[in-house]
Amino acid sequence: MKKRHFILTSIALGLSVLSTPMLAQASLPTVVEGQAVPSLAPMLEKVLPSVVSISVEGQQKGAQRNDIPEEFRFFFGEPFADRSPRQFRGLGSGVIIDAEKGYIITNNHVIDGADKITVKLSDGREFKAKTIGTDNLSDVALIQVEKPNNLTAVKIADSDKLKVGDFTVAIGNPFGLGQTVTSGIVSALGRSTGSDSGSYENYIQTDAAVNRGNSGGPLINLQGELIGINTAIISPSGGNAGIAFAIPSNMANNLVQQIIEFGEVRRGMLGIKGGELNADLAEAFNVTAKQGAFVSEVIPDSAAAKAGIKAGDVIVALNGQKIASFAELRAKIATSGAGKEVELTYLRDDKSHNVKVTLQSDELNQASATNLIPALEGAELSNYNSKGVTGVEITKVAPNSLAAQRGLRNGDIIVGVNRSSVENIGQFRKILDSKPSAVALNILRDGSNFYLLIQ
Protein backbone atom coordinates (compact mmCIF):
# COMPACT_ATOMS: atom_id res chain seq x y z
CA MET A 1 0.00 0.00 0.00
CA LYS A 2 1.38 3.39 -0.96
CA LYS A 3 0.25 6.56 0.77
CA ARG A 4 0.35 10.06 -0.68
CA HIS A 5 -2.76 12.20 -0.80
CA PHE A 6 -4.36 8.90 -1.75
CA ILE A 7 -3.85 5.21 -1.13
CA LEU A 8 -2.51 2.85 -3.78
CA THR A 9 -3.89 -0.58 -2.98
CA SER A 10 -3.31 -3.93 -4.64
CA ILE A 11 -6.83 -5.26 -5.11
CA ALA A 12 -9.19 -5.40 -8.16
CA LEU A 13 -12.79 -5.01 -9.17
CA GLY A 14 -16.56 -5.03 -8.25
CA LEU A 15 -19.93 -4.01 -10.06
CA SER A 16 -21.67 -1.00 -11.53
CA VAL A 17 -24.64 -0.90 -13.92
CA LEU A 18 -24.25 0.08 -17.58
CA SER A 19 -26.40 2.90 -18.82
CA THR A 20 -28.78 2.28 -21.72
CA PRO A 21 -26.71 4.26 -24.31
CA MET A 22 -23.62 2.17 -23.48
CA LEU A 23 -25.55 -1.08 -23.77
CA ALA A 24 -27.09 -0.01 -27.05
CA GLN A 25 -23.63 0.34 -28.54
CA ALA A 26 -22.65 -3.04 -27.14
CA SER A 27 -25.15 -4.70 -29.51
CA LEU A 28 -25.70 -7.59 -27.16
CA PRO A 29 -29.53 -7.86 -27.04
CA THR A 30 -31.55 -10.18 -24.87
CA VAL A 31 -35.29 -10.76 -25.13
CA VAL A 32 -37.63 -9.56 -22.36
CA GLU A 33 -41.36 -10.01 -22.90
CA GLY A 34 -40.82 -10.43 -26.62
CA GLN A 35 -38.69 -7.29 -27.04
CA ALA A 36 -34.94 -7.00 -27.62
CA VAL A 37 -33.22 -5.22 -24.73
CA PRO A 38 -29.50 -4.34 -24.69
CA SER A 39 -27.65 -6.60 -22.24
CA LEU A 40 -24.21 -7.99 -21.42
CA ALA A 41 -25.77 -11.24 -20.20
CA PRO A 42 -25.18 -13.30 -23.40
CA MET A 43 -21.49 -12.42 -23.42
CA LEU A 44 -21.10 -13.01 -19.68
CA GLU A 45 -22.67 -16.45 -19.94
CA LYS A 46 -19.69 -17.49 -22.07
CA VAL A 47 -17.03 -15.71 -19.99
CA LEU A 48 -18.04 -16.35 -16.37
CA PRO A 49 -17.01 -20.05 -16.40
CA SER A 50 -13.40 -18.94 -17.09
CA VAL A 51 -13.26 -16.66 -14.02
CA VAL A 52 -12.23 -18.20 -10.69
CA SER A 53 -12.17 -17.22 -7.05
CA ILE A 54 -8.91 -17.98 -5.25
CA SER A 55 -8.41 -18.59 -1.54
CA VAL A 56 -4.96 -19.07 -0.06
CA GLU A 57 -3.43 -20.13 3.24
CA GLY A 58 0.16 -19.96 4.37
CA GLN A 59 2.68 -18.87 6.92
CA GLN A 60 4.75 -15.72 6.96
CA LYS A 61 7.63 -14.60 9.11
CA GLY A 62 6.93 -12.25 11.96
CA ALA A 63 8.27 -8.75 11.97
CA GLN A 64 11.69 -8.02 13.40
CA ARG A 65 11.76 -6.50 16.85
CA ASN A 66 12.02 -2.73 16.87
CA ASP A 67 13.30 -2.24 20.42
CA ILE A 68 16.95 -2.62 19.32
CA PRO A 69 18.59 0.32 17.50
CA GLU A 70 19.15 -0.53 13.84
CA GLU A 71 22.92 0.04 13.98
CA PHE A 72 23.26 -2.64 16.68
CA ARG A 73 20.99 -5.35 15.29
CA PHE A 74 23.72 -7.00 13.22
CA PHE A 75 25.74 -7.74 16.35
CA PHE A 76 22.81 -9.33 18.17
CA GLY A 77 21.81 -11.56 15.24
CA GLU A 78 18.80 -13.81 14.81
CA PRO A 79 17.85 -14.39 18.49
CA PHE A 80 16.75 -10.78 18.73
CA ALA A 81 14.44 -10.96 15.73
CA ASP A 82 10.87 -12.19 16.09
CA ARG A 83 10.62 -14.42 13.04
CA SER A 84 8.15 -17.00 14.31
CA PRO A 85 5.79 -18.08 11.50
CA ARG A 86 2.31 -16.62 11.50
CA GLN A 87 -0.69 -18.13 9.75
CA PHE A 88 -2.47 -16.03 7.13
CA ARG A 89 -5.42 -16.40 4.77
CA GLY A 90 -6.27 -14.40 1.68
CA LEU A 91 -8.76 -14.06 -1.16
CA GLY A 92 -8.35 -13.10 -4.78
CA SER A 93 -9.42 -13.84 -8.32
CA GLY A 94 -8.02 -15.34 -11.49
CA VAL A 95 -8.84 -16.31 -15.05
CA ILE A 96 -8.32 -19.61 -16.89
CA ILE A 97 -6.16 -19.27 -20.01
CA ASP A 98 -5.66 -22.96 -20.84
CA ALA A 99 -8.56 -25.31 -20.10
CA GLU A 100 -6.74 -28.52 -20.99
CA LYS A 101 -3.71 -27.86 -18.79
CA GLY A 102 -5.56 -25.93 -16.10
CA TYR A 103 -3.42 -22.77 -16.30
CA ILE A 104 -4.74 -19.69 -14.49
CA ILE A 105 -3.35 -16.14 -14.46
CA THR A 106 -3.59 -14.13 -11.27
CA ASN A 107 -1.55 -11.54 -9.36
CA ASN A 108 1.67 -12.45 -7.57
CA HIS A 109 0.48 -10.65 -4.44
CA VAL A 110 -2.59 -12.92 -4.32
CA ILE A 111 -0.63 -16.17 -3.96
CA ASP A 112 2.69 -14.89 -2.60
CA GLY A 113 3.82 -17.10 0.29
CA ALA A 114 0.82 -19.42 0.03
CA ASP A 115 1.22 -23.03 1.13
CA LYS A 116 -2.30 -23.96 0.04
CA ILE A 117 -4.21 -22.59 -2.97
CA THR A 118 -7.87 -23.42 -3.61
CA VAL A 119 -9.64 -22.43 -6.82
CA LYS A 120 -13.45 -22.19 -7.00
CA LEU A 121 -15.32 -22.08 -10.30
CA SER A 122 -18.59 -20.32 -11.10
CA ASP A 123 -20.41 -23.68 -11.00
CA GLY A 124 -19.28 -24.29 -7.42
CA ARG A 125 -16.56 -26.86 -8.13
CA GLU A 126 -13.30 -26.52 -6.21
CA PHE A 127 -9.78 -27.57 -7.19
CA LYS A 128 -6.45 -27.56 -5.45
CA ALA A 129 -3.81 -25.56 -7.33
CA LYS A 130 -0.05 -25.12 -7.34
CA THR A 131 2.19 -22.23 -8.31
CA ILE A 132 3.98 -22.66 -11.64
CA GLY A 133 5.87 -19.35 -11.63
CA THR A 134 5.69 -15.71 -10.58
CA ASP A 135 7.13 -12.31 -11.41
CA ASN A 136 6.88 -9.92 -8.49
CA LEU A 137 8.12 -6.88 -10.45
CA SER A 138 5.11 -7.03 -12.77
CA ASP A 139 2.82 -8.68 -10.16
CA VAL A 140 1.92 -11.62 -12.43
CA ALA A 141 1.60 -15.25 -11.36
CA LEU A 142 0.71 -18.48 -13.13
CA ILE A 143 -0.97 -21.26 -11.18
CA GLN A 144 -2.27 -24.67 -12.28
CA VAL A 145 -5.23 -26.63 -10.96
CA GLU A 146 -4.72 -30.29 -10.15
CA LYS A 147 -6.58 -32.76 -12.40
CA PRO A 148 -8.31 -30.16 -14.61
CA ASN A 149 -11.66 -31.35 -15.90
CA ASN A 150 -14.24 -29.63 -18.11
CA LEU A 151 -12.77 -26.13 -17.72
CA THR A 152 -13.43 -23.07 -19.89
CA ALA A 153 -10.64 -20.74 -21.00
CA VAL A 154 -10.96 -17.08 -21.87
CA LYS A 155 -9.91 -15.78 -25.27
CA ILE A 156 -6.99 -13.34 -25.06
CA ALA A 157 -7.30 -10.06 -27.00
CA ASP A 158 -4.53 -7.86 -28.38
CA SER A 159 -4.30 -5.16 -25.70
CA ASP A 160 -2.13 -3.00 -27.96
CA LYS A 161 -5.29 -2.24 -29.97
CA LEU A 162 -7.09 -0.70 -26.98
CA LYS A 163 -8.13 2.94 -27.16
CA VAL A 164 -9.24 5.38 -24.51
CA GLY A 165 -13.02 5.21 -24.37
CA ASP A 166 -13.32 1.50 -25.16
CA PHE A 167 -15.83 -0.23 -22.90
CA THR A 168 -14.55 -2.58 -20.22
CA VAL A 169 -16.09 -5.24 -17.99
CA ALA A 170 -14.37 -6.55 -14.87
CA ILE A 171 -15.18 -9.76 -13.02
CA GLY A 172 -13.87 -10.83 -9.64
CA ASN A 173 -14.44 -11.86 -6.05
CA PRO A 174 -14.74 -8.64 -4.00
CA PHE A 175 -14.70 -9.15 -0.23
CA GLY A 176 -15.15 -12.89 -0.83
CA LEU A 177 -18.74 -12.37 -2.02
CA GLY A 178 -18.22 -14.50 -5.12
CA GLN A 179 -18.35 -13.59 -8.78
CA THR A 180 -19.27 -9.96 -9.27
CA VAL A 181 -19.39 -8.07 -12.57
CA THR A 182 -18.46 -4.40 -13.03
CA SER A 183 -18.38 -2.12 -16.06
CA GLY A 184 -16.68 1.04 -17.23
CA ILE A 185 -14.40 2.36 -19.93
CA VAL A 186 -10.68 2.59 -20.62
CA SER A 187 -9.83 5.85 -18.87
CA ALA A 188 -6.17 5.97 -19.91
CA LEU A 189 -3.36 3.79 -21.27
CA GLY A 190 0.30 3.41 -20.36
CA ARG A 191 -0.31 4.49 -16.80
CA SER A 192 2.25 4.31 -13.97
CA THR A 193 1.44 4.76 -10.30
CA GLY A 194 4.70 6.60 -9.68
CA SER A 195 5.92 3.87 -7.34
CA ASP A 196 9.69 3.79 -6.71
CA SER A 197 9.65 0.02 -6.10
CA GLY A 198 11.37 -0.78 -9.41
CA SER A 199 8.28 -2.59 -10.70
CA TYR A 200 7.30 -2.64 -14.37
CA GLU A 201 4.15 -0.57 -14.75
CA ASN A 202 2.25 -0.04 -18.00
CA TYR A 203 -1.30 -0.15 -16.73
CA ILE A 204 -4.69 0.16 -18.33
CA GLN A 205 -6.66 2.65 -16.24
CA THR A 206 -10.40 2.03 -15.95
CA ASP A 207 -13.26 3.56 -13.99
CA ALA A 208 -14.94 0.23 -13.29
CA ALA A 209 -15.87 -0.15 -9.61
CA VAL A 210 -13.08 -1.94 -7.76
CA ASN A 211 -12.73 -3.45 -4.32
CA ARG A 212 -10.54 -5.80 -2.30
CA GLY A 213 -10.62 -9.43 -3.37
CA ASN A 214 -10.78 -8.83 -7.13
CA SER A 215 -6.99 -8.84 -7.55
CA GLY A 216 -5.99 -11.13 -10.39
CA GLY A 217 -9.41 -11.12 -12.00
CA PRO A 218 -9.99 -10.36 -15.68
CA LEU A 219 -10.74 -7.09 -17.38
CA ILE A 220 -12.53 -7.95 -20.61
CA ASN A 221 -13.95 -6.19 -23.66
CA LEU A 222 -17.51 -6.41 -24.93
CA GLN A 223 -16.59 -9.41 -27.05
CA GLY A 224 -15.73 -11.34 -23.90
CA GLU A 225 -11.97 -11.28 -24.58
CA LEU A 226 -9.29 -10.74 -21.94
CA ILE A 227 -7.68 -7.30 -22.18
CA GLY A 228 -6.12 -7.03 -18.72
CA ILE A 229 -5.52 -8.43 -15.23
CA ASN A 230 -6.98 -6.21 -12.50
CA THR A 231 -4.30 -5.27 -10.01
CA ALA A 232 -4.66 -2.04 -8.04
CA ILE A 233 -6.66 1.09 -7.29
CA ILE A 234 -5.92 4.62 -6.16
CA SER A 235 -8.26 5.80 -3.45
CA PRO A 236 -8.27 8.27 -0.54
CA SER A 237 -10.03 5.70 1.64
CA GLY A 238 -8.93 2.35 0.22
CA GLY A 239 -12.33 1.76 -1.39
CA ASN A 240 -13.56 2.32 -4.91
CA ALA A 241 -12.90 5.83 -6.25
CA GLY A 242 -13.17 5.13 -9.97
CA ILE A 243 -9.44 4.83 -10.62
CA ALA A 244 -8.34 1.25 -11.17
CA PHE A 245 -5.35 -0.33 -12.89
CA ALA A 246 -5.00 -3.52 -14.92
CA ILE A 247 -1.95 -5.22 -16.40
CA PRO A 248 -2.42 -5.35 -20.21
CA SER A 249 -3.17 -8.84 -21.53
CA ASN A 250 -0.21 -8.77 -23.94
CA MET A 251 2.18 -8.02 -21.10
CA ALA A 252 0.70 -10.69 -18.81
CA ASN A 253 0.60 -13.29 -21.58
CA ASN A 254 4.24 -12.62 -22.56
CA LEU A 255 5.31 -13.29 -18.99
CA VAL A 256 3.29 -16.47 -18.43
CA GLN A 257 4.43 -17.93 -21.76
CA GLN A 258 8.03 -17.42 -20.61
CA ILE A 259 7.19 -19.14 -17.33
CA ILE A 260 5.60 -22.06 -19.20
CA GLU A 261 8.53 -22.42 -21.61
CA PHE A 262 11.50 -21.71 -19.34
CA GLY A 263 10.14 -22.10 -15.83
CA GLU A 264 11.00 -18.45 -15.13
CA VAL A 265 10.73 -14.96 -16.58
CA ARG A 266 13.65 -14.11 -18.87
CA ARG A 267 13.41 -10.37 -18.97
CA GLY A 268 14.47 -8.50 -22.08
CA MET A 269 16.94 -5.62 -21.97
CA LEU A 270 17.46 -2.83 -24.48
CA GLY A 271 20.42 -1.19 -22.74
CA ILE A 272 19.46 2.44 -22.39
CA LYS A 273 18.91 4.98 -19.65
CA GLY A 274 16.60 7.93 -19.97
CA GLY A 275 13.37 9.59 -18.95
CA GLU A 276 10.20 11.22 -20.17
CA LEU A 277 10.24 13.62 -23.10
CA ASN A 278 9.20 17.13 -22.07
CA ALA A 279 8.89 20.46 -23.87
CA ASP A 280 12.38 21.63 -22.88
CA LEU A 281 14.06 18.42 -24.11
CA ALA A 282 12.03 18.47 -27.32
CA GLU A 283 13.19 22.02 -28.06
CA ALA A 284 16.81 21.33 -27.09
CA PHE A 285 17.03 18.25 -29.35
CA ASN A 286 14.97 19.69 -32.19
CA VAL A 287 12.08 17.23 -32.16
CA THR A 288 8.41 18.06 -32.63
CA ALA A 289 7.12 14.98 -30.80
CA LYS A 290 5.01 15.63 -27.70
CA GLN A 291 5.46 12.22 -26.10
CA GLY A 292 8.11 9.52 -26.09
CA ALA A 293 11.10 8.03 -24.29
CA PHE A 294 14.16 10.26 -24.22
CA VAL A 295 17.47 8.37 -24.37
CA SER A 296 20.09 9.95 -22.12
CA GLU A 297 22.65 7.12 -22.23
CA VAL A 298 23.30 3.99 -24.26
CA ILE A 299 25.11 1.14 -22.50
CA PRO A 300 28.18 -0.06 -24.48
CA ASP A 301 27.74 -3.41 -26.27
CA SER A 302 24.02 -3.42 -25.46
CA ALA A 303 21.23 -4.28 -27.88
CA ALA A 304 20.50 -0.58 -28.36
CA ALA A 305 24.17 0.23 -29.07
CA LYS A 306 24.39 -2.56 -31.65
CA ALA A 307 21.24 -1.22 -33.34
CA GLY A 308 22.68 2.29 -33.62
CA ILE A 309 20.57 4.04 -30.98
CA LYS A 310 22.37 7.09 -29.59
CA ALA A 311 22.03 9.38 -26.60
CA GLY A 312 19.66 12.20 -27.51
CA ASP A 313 17.36 10.00 -29.57
CA VAL A 314 13.65 9.93 -28.74
CA ILE A 315 11.91 6.56 -29.07
CA VAL A 316 8.30 7.15 -30.11
CA ALA A 317 7.03 3.68 -31.09
CA LEU A 318 7.56 -0.02 -30.40
CA ASN A 319 6.40 -2.50 -33.04
CA GLY A 320 4.33 0.25 -34.63
CA GLN A 321 2.54 1.17 -31.40
CA LYS A 322 3.10 4.69 -30.02
CA ILE A 323 5.14 5.00 -26.84
CA ALA A 324 3.89 7.68 -24.45
CA SER A 325 6.61 7.50 -21.81
CA PHE A 326 9.93 5.96 -20.80
CA ALA A 327 8.12 3.91 -18.15
CA GLU A 328 5.88 2.39 -20.82
CA LEU A 329 8.86 1.53 -23.02
CA ARG A 330 10.74 0.03 -20.05
CA ALA A 331 7.80 -2.18 -19.07
CA LYS A 332 7.10 -3.40 -22.60
CA ILE A 333 10.76 -4.17 -23.32
CA ALA A 334 11.31 -5.95 -20.01
CA THR A 335 8.25 -8.15 -20.39
CA SER A 336 8.82 -8.96 -24.06
CA GLY A 337 11.47 -11.53 -23.17
CA ALA A 338 15.17 -11.98 -23.88
CA GLY A 339 16.00 -12.91 -27.46
CA LYS A 340 12.85 -11.38 -28.93
CA GLU A 341 13.20 -9.07 -31.94
CA VAL A 342 11.34 -5.78 -31.73
CA GLU A 343 11.10 -2.79 -34.04
CA LEU A 344 11.79 0.67 -32.63
CA THR A 345 10.84 3.98 -34.17
CA TYR A 346 13.00 6.87 -32.99
CA LEU A 347 13.56 10.52 -33.81
CA ARG A 348 16.96 12.09 -34.37
CA ASP A 349 17.06 15.74 -35.47
CA ASP A 350 13.30 15.34 -35.95
CA LYS A 351 13.81 12.69 -38.64
CA SER A 352 12.12 9.34 -38.11
CA HIS A 353 14.11 6.10 -38.25
CA ASN A 354 13.08 2.46 -37.84
CA VAL A 355 15.41 -0.23 -36.57
CA LYS A 356 15.02 -3.86 -35.53
CA VAL A 357 16.61 -4.84 -32.21
CA THR A 358 17.14 -8.27 -30.66
CA LEU A 359 16.71 -7.88 -26.91
CA GLN A 360 19.40 -9.15 -24.59
CA SER A 361 18.92 -10.89 -21.27
CA ASP A 362 19.22 -8.75 -18.15
CA GLU A 363 19.98 -11.63 -15.76
CA LEU A 364 23.70 -10.78 -15.83
CA ASN A 365 23.07 -7.11 -15.12
CA GLN A 366 20.61 -6.96 -12.25
CA ALA A 367 19.07 -9.36 -9.80
CA SER A 368 17.34 -9.79 -6.50
CA ALA A 369 19.92 -11.17 -4.10
CA THR A 370 17.24 -13.36 -2.53
CA ASN A 371 17.27 -15.43 -5.71
CA LEU A 372 20.99 -16.04 -5.23
CA ILE A 373 21.18 -16.87 -1.54
CA PRO A 374 18.55 -16.55 1.24
CA ALA A 375 21.04 -14.85 3.57
CA LEU A 376 20.97 -11.82 1.25
CA GLU A 377 17.22 -11.36 1.45
CA GLY A 378 16.35 -7.69 1.00
CA ALA A 379 19.34 -6.71 -1.17
CA GLU A 380 19.18 -5.61 -4.81
CA LEU A 381 22.24 -6.02 -7.06
CA SER A 382 23.59 -4.61 -10.29
CA ASN A 383 26.84 -4.87 -12.21
CA TYR A 384 29.51 -2.30 -11.36
CA ASN A 385 32.26 -1.03 -13.63
CA SER A 386 33.82 2.32 -12.77
CA LYS A 387 37.32 3.76 -12.36
CA GLY A 388 38.94 0.43 -13.10
CA VAL A 389 36.87 -1.47 -10.54
CA THR A 390 34.49 -4.23 -11.60
CA GLY A 391 32.16 -6.17 -9.36
CA VAL A 392 28.61 -6.37 -8.08
CA GLU A 393 27.09 -3.31 -6.43
CA ILE A 394 24.54 -3.46 -3.62
CA THR A 395 22.09 -0.89 -4.98
CA LYS A 396 19.45 -1.25 -2.29
CA VAL A 397 19.15 -2.87 1.14
CA ALA A 398 15.71 -3.08 2.70
CA PRO A 399 15.59 -1.92 6.34
CA ASN A 400 15.47 -4.76 8.89
CA SER A 401 16.10 -7.37 6.17
CA LEU A 402 18.49 -10.32 6.49
CA ALA A 403 20.95 -8.49 4.22
CA ALA A 404 20.88 -5.49 6.58
CA GLN A 405 21.43 -7.77 9.57
CA ARG A 406 24.46 -9.26 7.87
CA GLY A 407 25.94 -5.77 7.65
CA LEU A 408 25.49 -4.96 3.96
CA ARG A 409 24.92 -1.34 2.97
CA ASN A 410 23.80 0.56 -0.09
CA GLY A 411 26.81 1.21 -2.31
CA ASP A 412 28.88 -1.78 -1.18
CA ILE A 413 30.85 -3.33 -4.06
CA ILE A 414 31.33 -7.11 -3.97
CA VAL A 415 34.61 -7.86 -5.75
CA GLY A 416 35.08 -11.44 -4.60
CA VAL A 417 33.59 -14.46 -2.86
CA ASN A 418 35.97 -16.49 -0.69
CA ARG A 419 39.13 -16.68 -2.86
CA SER A 420 37.40 -16.14 -6.20
CA SER A 421 37.13 -12.72 -7.84
CA VAL A 422 33.74 -11.49 -9.01
CA GLU A 423 33.30 -9.12 -11.95
CA ASN A 424 29.54 -9.39 -12.55
CA ILE A 425 26.32 -10.97 -11.34
CA GLY A 426 26.81 -13.91 -13.69
CA GLN A 427 30.07 -14.87 -11.97
CA PHE A 428 28.53 -14.22 -8.56
CA ARG A 429 25.62 -16.52 -9.40
CA LYS A 430 27.94 -19.26 -10.67
CA ILE A 431 29.99 -19.27 -7.46
CA LEU A 432 26.91 -19.39 -5.24
CA ASP A 433 25.34 -22.13 -7.38
CA SER A 434 28.30 -24.34 -6.45
CA LYS A 435 26.96 -24.15 -2.86
CA PRO A 436 30.21 -23.40 -0.99
CA SER A 437 30.23 -24.41 2.67
CA ALA A 438 31.11 -20.85 3.67
CA VAL A 439 30.39 -17.54 1.94
CA ALA A 440 32.69 -14.62 2.73
CA LEU A 441 32.13 -11.56 0.56
CA ASN A 442 35.13 -9.41 -0.34
CA ILE A 443 33.68 -5.91 -0.16
CA LEU A 444 34.87 -2.43 -1.10
CA ARG A 445 33.30 0.30 1.05
CA ASP A 446 34.45 3.91 1.24
CA GLY A 447 37.92 2.97 0.02
CA SER A 448 38.30 0.08 2.46
CA ASN A 449 38.56 -3.59 1.50
CA PHE A 450 37.32 -6.26 3.91
CA TYR A 451 35.62 -9.66 4.13
CA LEU A 452 32.07 -10.06 5.43
CA LEU A 453 31.01 -13.58 6.44
CA ILE A 454 27.35 -14.10 5.59
CA GLN A 455 27.06 -17.88 5.70
Side-chain angles (χ1 to χ4, degrees), residues 320-380:
Q321 299 290 325
K322 290 184 178 179
I323 293 295
S325 66
F326 192 87
E328 180 182 357
L329 175 67
R330 177 176 177 268
K332 286 187 173 182
I333 288 294
T335 56
S336 292
K340 186 171 182 179
E341 184 179 77
V342 299
E343 183 177 38
L344 297 177
T345 302
Y346 64 93
L347 302 179
R348 183 181 297 165
D349 295 328
D350 213 27
K351 294 182 180 179
S352 180
H353 305 268
N354 292 322
V355 64
K356 292 185 177 180
V357 184
T358 300
L359 302 179
Q360 296 175 335
S361 171
D362 78 339
E363 66 175 333
L364 298 181
N365 294 278
Q366 55 184 1
S368 167
T370 308
N371 296 329
L372 298 174
I373 183 171
L376 294 182
E377 177 187 345
E380 296 293 330

Side-chain angles (χ1 to χ4, degrees), residues 234-309:
I234 284 182
S235 168
S237 63
N240 170 54
I243 301 177
F245 299 108
I247 302 167
S249 58
N250 286 2
M251 180 172 167
N253 193 41
N254 282 342
L255 292 168
V256 298
Q257 292 307 319
Q258 292 172 46
I259 291 171
I260 292 170
E261 183 175 357
F262 307 114
E264 63 180 358
V265 170
R266 296 188 175 181
R267 216 175 300 284
M269 185 181 71
L270 186 57
I272 62 172
K273 296 181 181 180
E276 316 305 339
L277 179 69
N278 56 40
D280 292 336
L281 284 172
E283 181 179 357
F285 286 86
N286 189 33
V287 294
T288 56
K290 304 299 182 183
Q291 293 181 316
F294 177 76
V295 180
S296 62
E297 181 181 350
V298 177
I299 308 301
D301 299 322
S302 66
K306 293 176 182 177
I309 303 294

Side-chain angles (χ1 to χ4, degrees), residues 136 264 362-383 391-396 402-403 408 414 416-417 422-436 438-439 441 454-455:
N136 67 310
E264 63 180 358
D362 78 339
E363 66 175 333
L364 298 181
N365 294 278
Q366 55 184 1
S368 167
T370 308
N371 296 329
L372 298 174
I373 183 171
L376 294 182
E377 177 187 345
E380 296 293 330
L381 314 176
S382 68
N383 284 340
V392 176
E393 182 179 10
I394 307 293
T395 56
K396 182 179 180 181
L402 286 177
L408 290 171
I414 301 171
V417 179
V422 167
E423 294 185 355
N424 54 51
I425 291 175
Q427 291 183 1
F428 191 32
R429 186 190 304 274
K430 187 174 181 179
I431 294 171
L432 296 179
D433 283 346
S434 68
K435 300 186 183 303
V439 177
L441 304 181
I454 64 168
Q455 179 175 301

Side-chain angles (χ1 to χ4, degrees), residues 442-455:
N442 188 0
I443 290 177
L444 290 180
R445 178 189 296 167
D446 299 329
S448 298
N449 188 319
F450 62 95
Y451 277 93
L452 182 63
L453 184 63
I454 64 168
Q455 179 175 301

Side-chain angles (χ1 to χ4, degrees), residues 130-144:
K130 62 181 180 180
T131 301
I132 300 299
T134 65
D135 182 43
N136 67 310
L137 290 180
S138 57
D139 201 15
V140 168
L142 179 68
I143 63 175
Q144 183 180 32

